[in-house]
Amino acid sequence: MFQKILVAEDVDSTNMAVVQALQQLNIAEVHHTQYCDDALLKIRKTNALGSPYELLVTDLSFKEVRSSDRLTTGEELIMAVRKDFPSIKIIVYSIEDKSYRIRSLFQQFGIHGYIIKGRKSIPELQKAVPAVYAGQDRIGSVEVMEALKDKSLLDIEKYDIDLLKLLAKGNTQEGIGNIFRQEGISPSSSSSIEKHISRLKEYFGANNNVHLVAIAKDLGLV
């Protein structure tokens, strides 16, 4: 079983509930923090000392954010941890239940488990931890497993997500093209962007750009 776990969660009651649940699994060290920056710092320090955390349990949404914080979301924390410490196991414990976001965390960031907060989530987390330790992958509740089977978003690529995010911020097609060129994203021509937007509207059955953005928000794409 894991012997050293870090919990990143900004709500005190949830933080304590998760810590207590993990302690009941006879885990030697369960530490916790309310800030993503502090979580990354703790992971760096323990690795430098030769006693690294084996598992990170993190929320995705953090309301308690300090002005000096560089990392403000669980997703940003996961990205930073994955970049420097690829061997650490990660379980997400969040209220977020959007299919695309759940799938992307498994596919893009290599998380090992996802538990949706709810009435039975603590027992599910207690089951997930030993399962992840045993080497099982894609651990989650029934809702998570259903989300991973959802085939409605399989054709959506990162380019489409970037495009939708910029569209949601009110950027014009020309403006999106300029941003893409600055960031080295291709294709960036106005005609190509227009074609992609048209494809997305047809894909989602959207009447116009505003409707497209609304659908994307409902699906958790932006």
Side-chain angles (χ1 to χ4, degrees), residues 19-218:
V19 169
Q20 290 173 7
L22 296 176
Q23 289 174 336
Q24 290 172 7
L25 298 176
N26 296 319
I27 295 168
E29 295 184 62
V30 182
H31 301 162
H32 60 92
T33 179
Q34 293 179 300
Y35 302 97
C36 294
D37 275 19
D38 289 355
L40 183 59
L41 182 61
K42 285 177 179 289
I43 291 171
R44 284 175 174 166
K45 283 185 175 179
T46 54
N47 270 267
L49 293 172
S51 57
Y53 287 108
E54 302 164 275
L55 173 67
L56 168 66
V57 178
T58 181
D59 195 356
L60 293 179
S61 176
F62 287 77
K63 294 181 180 179
E64 296 293 331
V65 178
R66 302 164 299 194
S67 59
S68 60
D69 284 340
R70 183 175 62 87
L71 305 175
T72 59
T73 69
E75 190 168 275
E76 291 176 353
L77 171 60
I78 292 169
M79 289 175 64
V81 170
R82 268 287 161 263
K83 180 181 178 181
D84 296 332
F85 310 101
S87 63
I88 190 171
K89 305 288 187 180
I90 299 176
I91 294 177
V92 171
Y93 185 68
S94 172
I95 197 171
E96 175 63 68
D97 61 356
K98 296 295 190 299
S99 297
Y100 173 79
R101 290 203 69 191
I102 294 173
R103 185 186 290 110
S104 67
L105 287 166
F106 278 103
Q107 294 180 343
Q108 296 181 31
F109 304 121
I111 68 169
H112 302 84
Y114 194 111
I115 304 299
I116 298 176
K117 292 180 181 178
R119 292 181 179 179
K120 299 180 180 180
S121 57
I122 288 296
E124 288 174 346
L125 178 62
Q126 289 179 314
K127 292 179 181 178
V129 170
V132 169
Y133 178 77
Q136 296 181 40
D137 201 7
R138 296 198 167 206
I139 302 301
S141 53
V142 174
E143 297 92 338
V144 170
M145 294 300 103
E146 289 301 316
L148 292 175
K149 293 177 183 178
D150 185 357
K151 300 183 183 300
S152 63
L153 299 174
L154 291 181
D155 293 332
I156 301 300
E157 302 173 349
K158 185 179 183 302
Y159 179 93
D160 300 312
I161 304 303
D162 292 338
L163 177 56
L164 287 167
K165 286 180 178 179
L166 291 173
L167 202 61
K169 292 179 180 179
N171 290 282
T172 63
Q173 292 179 22
E174 182 180 355
I176 293 172
N178 291 333
I179 293 172
F180 278 180
R181 281 189 286 276
Q182 291 173 5
E183 297 181 356
I185 298 174
S186 181
S188 59
S189 67
S190 295
S191 60
S192 295
I193 291 171
E194 184 177 2
K195 288 179 182 178
H196 272 271
I197 291 176
S198 296
R199 184 182 74 83
L200 288 169
K201 284 193 289 189
E202 181 179 353
Y203 185 89
F204 290 113
N207 300 322
N208 50 51
N209 288 359
V210 174
H211 190 199
L212 174 61
V213 169
I215 293 172
K217 287 182 177 179
D218 287 341

